[in-house]
Amino acid sequence: MTLITLHSRIHFASDVLEEALRAEIDENRLAHALVLCPEALACSEFLDRVEEGLASCPQVTLHLIAATDSKYDTARAAAQAEKEAPVDVIIAFGSAGSIARGRKCRHEITTLRYRALNARTRDRVRQKSLQPRFFVIPNIDGMPDPCLEAGPAMSFKTTPPGVIICDPTLIRDVQEADIAKATTLTIGRCLSVLSAKAFNPLADGLAIDALSRIRMMTQARGARAGEKHGYRDLMAATLNGAIALQKGTGLVEALGYSFGHAVGRDLDSALLHRVLLARILSSSEASDSTVIARVLGVGPETTLYDFVADLMADVPLPQTLQQLDIAWPEVEEAVGYMEPRFGTPQVASRSELDLILHDVY
């Protein structure tokens, strides 16, 4: 059985950020907001707009996430904020990494609250009821993978964000390389969803919609061709691709998780999709390749692999694992982490996976 959870309230419109955030704060009477912001956005219009939306919140604790900070560093900051005053809401914005840290902070605060209860009270309280609210405001790179965090309290699949605010004006100044990464990641996620054998028509519908929007953007020569509508479609596609991925983790997502363990740092999933996606398609058969071909506009004389390989050829991103600064021993170590994940729709054996990784190294 597969399950897709859609408990998030989603605000989606141009220039909606301040109004939506203010309305959620006031309606829920939230008094202490922990705001997680990437350090790179410390002096940005993005942060200014978030702070404007929080004007009615009595207490705001801003935590800047440095590039060198681990998720545990951010969790400790959340614990400190909770000690000063109970955190009513965690607001994570600006990057998928920041949003992923937000769910770690939610887990940390929930655990602290549960441990503070006496044994008799613990028996009557579910940890989920102790969670602070969680609002997210995606940027160009969208939402993190919903399936790869350990533990139900940290998973978007079982406890998704209460509020998602999508404002296309936030991505109007992004660079072409960022658009390429967002597009690549979304294509990869959607193909993973549509290649999975589980029956989940809602997830499939979201993935098909996302691919359709990507196709329209590609035909229009990128998001900048239509400006307003291009940004809107790109943000809609990245959101749908992330939500649809609750159907299950694909091979590239699982490899990204394993490579992160092997190299000791988070790897950009978009870059891994650029390197791996077409090669994986060449050794697998999607369960509904006819639908995928129709949505993407693949002609009868072209295979899905050839189409995606041609699409990826012009993407200005690294093309091999070596260009991602991954050494071969780290590749072999990552494969070791992959052992429990064999049996995905794309790869059935270690020897098949070894061959794919040799080819893209």
Side-chain angles (χ1 to χ4, degrees), residues 274-351:
R274 166 64 184 88
V275 171
L276 289 161
L277 182 59
R279 178 60 184 84
I280 289 172
L281 288 173
S282 73
S283 62
S284 65
E285 180 62 31
S287 59
D288 207 346
S289 56
T290 303
V291 171
I292 297 173
R294 185 172 68 249
V295 172
L296 287 175
V298 181
E301 70 288 347
T302 306
T303 66
L304 184 59
Y305 158 71
D306 289 332
F307 180 87
V308 173
D310 183 62
L311 191 65
M312 293 290 138
D314 296 329
V315 174
L317 300 175
Q319 301 180 31
T320 66
L321 293 175
Q322 278 187 304
Q323 291 175 1
L324 296 181
D325 196 27
I326 299 175
W328 184 252
E330 293 171 331
V331 174
E332 294 179 322
E333 185 177 350
V335 172
Y337 286 116
M338 280 292 295
E339 290 286 3
R341 300 176 185 272
F342 289 133
T344 67
Q346 291 106 338
V347 171
S349 68
R350 176 164 184 160
S351 59

Side-chain angles (χ1 to χ4, degrees), residues 34-57:
L34 171 62
V35 179
L36 304 180
C37 170
E39 195 173 53
L41 296 177
C43 299
S44 67
E45 179 188 356
F46 202 151
L47 178 56
D48 291 342
R49 294 182 63 184
V50 170
E51 290 179 331
E52 183 176 341
L54 290 169
S56 62
C57 186

